[in-house]
Amino acid sequence: MLTASYVRNRTIEITEAETTPPPPPGSVQIAVSHVGLCGTDLHIFHGSMDARVGTPLVFGHEMSGEIAALGEGVTGWSVGDPVTVMPLDWDGTCPACLAGNEHICQNLDFIGIDSPGALQPLWNVPASTLVALPAGIRLDHAALVEPVAVAVHDVRRAELKAGEKAVVIGGGPIGVLIATVARSIGAEVAVIELDGGRREQVAALGFTTVDPRAVDQTAWVEEWTGGVGADVVFEVSGAAAAVLGATALAKVRGTLVVVAIHPTPREIDLQRVFWRELTIRGARVYQRTDFERAVELVADGTVPAEVLITSRVPLAETQAALEELESGRAMKILVDVAGKA
């Protein structure tokens, strides 16, 4: 079996997996099945997170698998249980944790970034991070639970309601999942996306799409909402121009949810924020309730996993998969760690 590690800018090293030690007390060992690649993995691949990650780093945090061994003191789980992992390990002592916001712990270990991740055949993780999967779920589909949990958290942070109108700026994987979750609660959704290929993918899923190069997006949203503006705007693109234009799309006392990672400060139209009394909210990761809801949405088919999976590749092709992902052509690429396709 093989392991994939980030070693330096644009370089993934594939090696024979070393013997994995048994899980320590309070931990479990997972036989990893599939791992999804995401934008954060691309940031690692591009060297943008070198100040944070240690090298070589076995990365990957969107995953599914089965429990292979239990560490001392672990109860409530059995070998063979299908699981995914909520890859957050908090200290429980910082001000954020003490205030009940453990998921954004001020000393958070994001497993797969700050510590070894899932691109290895056997992976030891704290038992507290396990999330149960229902019997019979396809493990390749279950690798989408983590990004779906991101979308569930984003929509929950927005306090979006049935019958309201939401604009999603950016039709990549997370944008599509936010649109899917928003639609599942009864909201109307429009997705703004520059790339024609992605717009076609999004439209094929039944969403209204907008090409901001072909139409004035602000005028389009005004017409779509009868002159009111969107109840919620999700900024998922990470583009400076998108941030600057986002506030113009929201209604009076509407909400802008910042989902994308912006590596540098962005200009924002604070006059619009003032004039319409807008609310701006950040949405970073997720909580356990988001993961549990994400499992339900994948298991019941609300999230069209098979449609969203662009390809499945063997672990030896991880670097090529990342290069395909950075081209913008793929929606979700899975690495088949177990070699079962």
Side-chain angles (χ1 to χ4, degrees), residues 54-175:
T55 54
L57 172 72
V58 177
F59 61 102
H61 58 273
E62 302 179 3
M63 61 75 62
S64 62
E66 296 179 341
I67 294 177
L70 302 174
E72 181 183 348
V74 174
T75 60
W77 299 98
S78 300
V79 171
D81 285 348
V83 293
T84 186
V85 166
M86 186 173 77
L88 308 179
D89 192 12
W90 48 79
D91 64 15
T93 62
C94 75
C97 288
L98 295 176
N101 299 312
E102 295 94 343
H103 69 296
I104 46 175
C105 170
Q106 291 165 231
N107 303 300
L108 186 68
D109 174 3
F110 194 113
I111 304 171
I113 300 173
D114 303 309
S115 56
L119 283 168
Q120 54 183 316
L122 294 172
W123 186 34
N124 291 337
V125 296
S128 60
T129 66
L130 294 180
V131 177
L133 297 173
I137 193 171
R138 287 180 51 170
L139 289 181
D140 54 347
H141 290 180
L144 271 64
V145 165
E146 193 270 356
V148 174
V150 170
V152 171
H153 186 74
D154 298 339
V155 172
R156 191 161 62 85
R157 285 284 290 154
E159 299 183 359
L160 184 67
K161 300 176 181 63
E164 292 187 332
K165 292 192 174 183
V167 172
V168 179
I169 305 175
I174 294 297

Side-chain angles (χ1 to χ4, degrees), residues 1-4 16-23 28-33 35 58 63-69 79 116-125 315 337-338:
M1 298 294 286
L2 303 176
T3 294
E16 288 288 335
E18 298 179 1
T19 300
T20 305
V28 301
Q29 187 170 92
I30 300 175
V32 178
S33 176
V35 175
V58 177
M63 61 75 62
S64 62
E66 296 179 341
I67 294 177
V79 171
L119 283 168
Q120 54 183 316
L122 294 172
W123 186 34
N124 291 337
V125 296
L315 189 142
V337 177

Side-chain angles (χ1 to χ4, degrees), residues 192 194 199 209-221 223:
I192 297 174
L194 286 168
R199 277 198 313 277
T209 62
V210 179
D211 178 358
R213 288 190 177 128
V215 301
D216 181 316
Q217 66 181 30
T218 303
W220 187 94
V221 171
E223 181 179 354

Side-chain angles (χ1 to χ4, degrees), residues 261-331:
I261 298 173
H262 292 271
T264 58
R266 302 298 195 192
E267 184 176 355
I268 189 168
D269 186 352
L270 290 180
Q271 167 66 12
R272 187 74 168 188
V273 174
F274 156 79
W275 197 254
R276 288 207 161 187
E277 293 195 354
L278 302 182
T279 297
I280 301 175
R281 290 182 175 169
R284 180 176 163 192
V285 277
Y286 28 62
Q287 294 166 282
R288 181 161 289 271
T289 185
D290 302 314
F291 249 81
E292 292 168 349
R293 180 58 180 151
V295 169
E296 295 172 353
L297 292 173
V298 173
D300 69 13
T302 298
V303 172
E306 192 61 30
V307 176
L308 296 176
I309 297 170
T310 305
S311 60
R312 300 165 180 81
V313 301
L315 189 142
E317 296 178 15
T318 299
Q319 172 143 348
L322 286 165
E323 291 167 352
E324 181 183 358
L325 190 64
E326 71 182 345
S327 73
R329 295 187 299 269
M331 191 60 70

